[in-house]
Amino acid sequence: MTAKLPKGSRITGEGRQDLTASLVERYNRGESIRSMAEDIGRSYGFVHGVLVEAGVAMRTRGGATRGAAAEARRAALKEARA
């Protein structure tokens, strides 16, 4: 989902389920909460709340920045955006 949501609008029902599924998938692929929030036009707290509500195991702060894990993460994100 790359369309920005109307600011301040409530997201309920099937729309929220679709948004949750999309955000969970993107987060599990390695995308940051901050980049997803910017992409959909919502706050970091909103996206974080949706992920927690969905039962997602949150990554530690900073993520992998060096080594093979970071390289793999960057490659996966690059591929997903293409």
Side-chain angles (χ1 to χ4, degrees):
M1 172 176 248
T2 57
K4 293 207 182 228
L5 301 169
K7 188 172 182 129
S9 65
R10 291 194 181 267
I11 303 162
T12 59
E14 192 174 318
R16 188 171 181 100
Q17 290 173 348
D18 292 344
L19 176 64
T20 299
S22 171
L23 293 175
V24 167
E25 180 184 335
R26 291 170 66 179
Y27 185 77
N28 287 334
R29 282 194 320 237
E31 193 167 342
S32 73
I33 294 173
R34 204 163 298 286
S35 70
M36 290 187 291
E38 184 179 323
D39 189 39
I40 65 169
R42 289 293 173 136
S43 70
Y44 176 98
F46 173 83
V47 174
H48 184 273
V50 168
L51 294 173
V52 168
E53 185 179 288
V56 173
M58 306 307 282
R59 294 188 298 263
T60 58
R61 287 180 52 152
T65 58
R66 298 183 190 156
E71 245 347 276
R73 191 171 115 241
R74 282 192 291 274
L77 283 172
K78 190 175 185 179
E79 184 178 309
R81 290 181 180 154

